[in-house]
Amino acid sequence: MRREKGRRPRKKVCSFCVDKIESINYKEIGRLQRYVSERGKILPRRISGNCAKHQRQVTLAVKRARSIALLPFTTE
Amino acid sequence: MKKYELVFIIKPMEEEALQAVIAKFEAMVTNNGGTMEKIDRWGKRRLAYLVKDFTEGYYCIFRFTGTPATVAELNRVMKITDDILRHMIVKEDE
């Protein structure tokens, strides 16, 4: 099977590495909200472009934020 | 001694009642072998989902150092206090 022609998607870079952020806190909801879908799901790495290290931190931070009602488990 | 962070949400009530609840837990930290470092009050916030049929809550954050016993005792009392909607104690990083 031949690969579809077209532009190769641009390589994404981890925005946390770019900003040199070491640890992600569950209290910064403004920042975390960018890594959550409209329905409140955590975005996968292939979409968010985070590196593995920061994606793990995002996951933990989102889960903590959910448990204290800062972020929704689900909307609607 | 480890550093902990305690976040809790109090029912929306009058200022004095809130004050009393916060003071009570502040005293609990020191009475159970912990030392308070910082109290952060976020004030009233909308909750992301309904908690015990409330749409709003008063957020308060304690940063303290303590022993596992301090945490256990806080956890126990927080659970049985009706004015507390939610609470969470996490070990602080950094």
Side-chain angles (χ1 to χ4, degrees):
Chain A
M1 215 168 85
R2 285 181 62 189
R3 279 196 72 184
E4 245 182 274
K5 271 194 179 172
R7 212 158 53 88
R8 197 134 138 271
R10 207 162 58 85
K11 178 102 172 61
K12 287 174 181 146
V13 281
C14 174
S15 53
F16 292 103
C17 290
V18 171
D19 297 345
K20 296 222 166 58
I21 289 166
E22 270 305 311
S23 61
I24 300 161
N25 199 294
Y26 61 92
K27 283 171 288 181
E28 304 166 46
I29 349 162
R31 188 181 277 281
L32 288 178
Q33 241 154 12
R34 304 213 318 265
Y35 302 98
V36 157
S37 77
E38 266 172 55
R39 306 216 63 177
K41 292 180 173 184
I42 301 170
L43 292 179
R45 224 139 67 75
R46 64 165 190 277
I47 293 170
S48 65
N50 286 341
C51 67
K53 179 184 164 188
H54 285 118
Q55 180 71 18
R56 281 196 302 272
Q57 293 186 11
V58 168
T59 310
L60 181 67
V62 170
K63 285 177 180 178
R64 280 181 175 171
R66 279 174 182 167
S67 79
I68 48 162
L70 291 175
L71 285 178
F73 282 98
T74 170
T75 32
E76 225 190 357
Chain B
M1 295 287 261
K2 274 182 180 146
K3 281 190 174 181
Y4 294 98
E5 196 169 61
L6 160 69
V7 191
F8 58 98
I9 311 170
I10 316 173
K11 266 184 199 175
M13 348 183 248
E14 286 94 68
E15 190 56 40
E16 293 145 43
L18 286 171
Q19 216 68 271
V21 174
I22 296 169
K24 179 187 153 196
F25 285 107
E26 198 186 338
M28 265 204 63
V29 173
T30 39
N31 292 342
N32 285 285
T35 40
M36 280 302 288
E37 274 182 14
K38 203 176 156 211
I39 302 178
D40 218 351
R41 290 183 196 201
W42 280 10
K44 228 184 202 181
R45 282 183 63 100
R46 252 189 76 84
L47 302 174
Y49 48 86
L50 284 185
V51 181
K52 294 183 188 162
D53 289 327
F54 286 98
T55 52
E56 276 185 330
Y58 192 95
Y59 279 78
C60 194
I61 297 168
F62 282 4
R63 286 157 140 240
F64 63 95
T65 49
T67 56
T70 322
V71 175
E73 180 62 9
L74 274 173
N75 239 332
R76 190 185 69 82
V77 179
M78 286 254 163
K79 267 187 203 157
I80 55 176
T81 310
D82 287 335
D83 296 332
I84 305 282
L85 298 180
R86 277 288 158 98
H87 76 279
M88 178 173 80
I89 303 176
V90 290
K91 262 191 271 174
E92 200 174 332
D93 35 33
E94 286 164 297

